[in-house]
Amino acid sequence: MEKNIALIPGDGIGPEIVREAVHVLDRVAESFRHTFHYEEVSMGGCAIDRYGSSLPDDMLAKAKAADAVLLGAVGGPKWDHVPKENRPERGLLRLRAGLGLYANIRPARIFPQLAPSSPLRSDIVRQGIDFVIVRELIGGVYFGEHRTEERDGQRVATDVMSYSEEEIRRIARSAFETAQKRSRRLCSVDKANVLDTSRLWRKTVEEVAQDYPDVTLSHMYVDNCAMQIVKNPAQFDVIVTENMFGDILSDEASMITGSIGMIPSASLGNGGRGLYEPIHGSAPDIAGQDKANPIGTILSAAMMLRYSLGMPKEADAVEQAVNTVLEKGCRCADIAAPGEAAISCQRTGALIAQEIKAN
């Protein structure tokens, strides 16, 4: 099988972690007799420096032409002075919109070997952390109208949050289908006691639920959900929520698993093409030092194999390789216990690649 993969190394540690993910993908191709063709795409701060745009049109076209896109990270303080309409993050928003990626799938799962790294009490961790957050990605306040104006002698800022029924229906369907593949429990998170968008969200999700009688639907206010994620994460199977709430809750969920460097994500739309990236930032303070944890990116590549490239066995092989390396006690700096020796980014990628085997 031949597949075309667009690579966006991006900024900071992005090139380092994408490089290790490619090493793992090359090992997958070798073991399972596939051919992966890579096309590098410039996006983020590096694209601003080179082209004056965080995502030039020809780079977006390259991403659109690929079967899937693998991203490292974008942004950093170097570009804080850039006008907001051309910040590195705007390139990411434009990429998501250009690819029609409306559903972000982010698993929150703790590897048993890393249980001591969780900030939660051990008795809570022992109950299990294994749920998925499905976040609406191209609607809501991030894509609404933004303006700052003078009013009565002072500056007033306004950000508009809006959702249509169809935007809610399509993300709800993605969430219900995700729940069907797991434990068939879906919690819809909103702020329906305050926001009109949330009241429409809740009503529409309940309407969609009629098409999924095998999934148990519940509702929770976002503030309560934030508390419950740290109080009793074992109660959740799949969470679905709007863009800004999902942004906040998914970062919270990632931290209870021990390290933000371990968490992958997939952004999906219609037609199977997706964008895959670790959830952490560009970490410019450690860029170029071979200290980054590439596992979140490698697990993102596994999600890419599973969701966009139709290679579930290969995805299983990558995930098993990560588990085997952790079982052997190999740790990057961010997941090493105090006093425990840490291995480099390159070494981590090499060890995981060595464990890839075709069953």
Side-chain angles (χ1 to χ4, degrees):
M1 189 179 294
E2 293 192 28
K3 294 293 182 180
N4 298 311
I5 301 170
L7 301 175
I8 307 180
D11 309 315
I13 61 172
E16 300 168 62
I17 56 179
V18 168
R19 179 192 62 217
E20 299 314 315
V22 169
H23 289 166
V24 170
L25 287 170
D26 286 343
R27 177 63 177 165
V28 168
E30 178 185 355
S31 299
F32 289 85
R33 299 184 179 180
H34 300 309
T35 301
F36 296 143
H37 302 287
Y38 305 109
E39 180 80 42
E40 187 162 321
V41 172
S42 184
M43 186 184 83
C46 59
I48 294 172
D49 290 346
R50 185 172 183 181
Y51 302 106
S53 169
S54 58
L55 182 62
D57 290 343
D58 60 332
M59 295 296 166
L60 177 58
K62 287 183 179 181
K64 287 182 174 181
D67 295 306
V69 181
L70 182 65
L71 168 65
V74 297
K78 178 182 177 182
W79 300 281
D80 284 349
H81 68 284
V82 175
K84 65 178 184 180
E85 63 273 10
N86 195 35
R87 293 284 296 274
E89 297 78 9
R90 297 302 298 180
L92 180 56
L93 294 177
R94 185 173 178 231
L95 179 65
R96 290 169 178 169
L99 296 178
L101 308 176
Y102 59 83
N104 181 253
I105 314 297
R106 185 178 293 188
R109 172 175 171 253
I110 191 164
F111 284 85
Q113 302 92 334
L114 301 181
S117 300
S118 174
L120 300 184
R121 294 198 320 261
S122 59
D123 60 309
I124 296 176
V125 176
R126 280 197 298 270
Q127 295 178 45
I129 302 173
D130 185 5
F131 61 95
V132 172
I133 295 180
V134 179
R135 166 191 169 194
E136 200 289 321
L137 204 56
I138 56 175
V141 71
Y142 291 170
F143 285 83
E145 179 187 356
H146 309 283
R147 66 178 184 273
T148 301
E149 57 191 338
E150 290 285 337
R151 190 184 304 166
D152 298 328
Q154 62 178 332
R155 287 172 295 174
V156 178
T158 303
D159 300 288
V160 177
M161 176 189 289
S162 66
Y163 272 105
S164 68
E165 290 179 276
E166 181 50 37
E167 286 176 316
I168 301 169
R169 285 194 189 98
R170 67 184 181 185
I171 191 65
R173 286 192 288 266
S174 294
F176 277 106
E177 289 166 9
T178 300
Q180 284 181 320
K181 299 171 184 175
R182 291 175 52 89
S183 298
R184 302 179 184 270
R185 293 182 289 113
L186 177 63
C187 178
S188 177
V189 173
D190 57 41
K191 194 63 177 171
N193 56 335
V194 176
L195 301 176
D196 272 16
T197 49
S198 283
R199 284 188 277 273
L200 179 61
W201 179 281
R202 183 172 294 207
K203 184 176 186 298
T204 305
V205 170
E206 289 177 344
E207 291 170 355
V208 174
Q210 302 305 308
D211 297 329
Y212 299 89
D214 56 333
V215 176
T216 300
L217 173 66
S218 62
H219 300 280
M220 189 175 289
Y221 293 146
V222 63
D223 45 350
N224 184 32
C225 183
M227 179 179 67
Q228 294 297 327
I229 284 175
V230 296
K231 181 183 179 182
N232 181 21
Q235 69 184 284
F236 295 112
D237 180 35
V238 178
I239 293 172
V240 63
T241 191
E242 64 88 40
N243 202 344
M244 183 172 67
F245 296 164
D247 191 4
I248 297 167
L249 293 177
S250 56
D251 277 0
E252 178 193 22
S254 70
M255 287 310 300
I256 68 173
T257 64
S259 173
I260 199 170
M262 297 291 297
I263 308 299
S265 74
S267 299
L268 306 173
N270 296 322
R273 184 174 52 202
L275 169 67
Y276 300 85
E277 59 181 311
I279 69 165
H280 58 70
S282 61
D285 57 317
I286 61 169
Q289 300 177 38
D290 202 20
K291 293 181 179 179
N293 184 348
I295 294 179
T297 314
I298 291 168
L299 291 175
S300 296
M303 294 184 77
M304 178 179 70
L305 292 167
R306 188 180 308 281
Y307 288 105
S308 286
L309 304 187
M311 301 178 180
K313 291 182 179 179
E314 293 83 339
D316 289 343
V318 174
E319 291 167 356
Q320 181 56 52
V322 170
N323 188 71
T324 299
V325 168
L326 293 175
E327 191 66 32
K328 291 181 177 180
C330 302
R331 302 286 187 269
C332 300
D334 62 318
I335 56 175
E340 186 177 24
I343 62 174
S344 69
C345 179
Q346 290 190 59
R347 182 60 177 161
T348 302
L351 289 173
I352 293 171
Q354 289 173 14
E355 296 294 338
I356 301 291
K357 298 178 178 66
N359 295 326

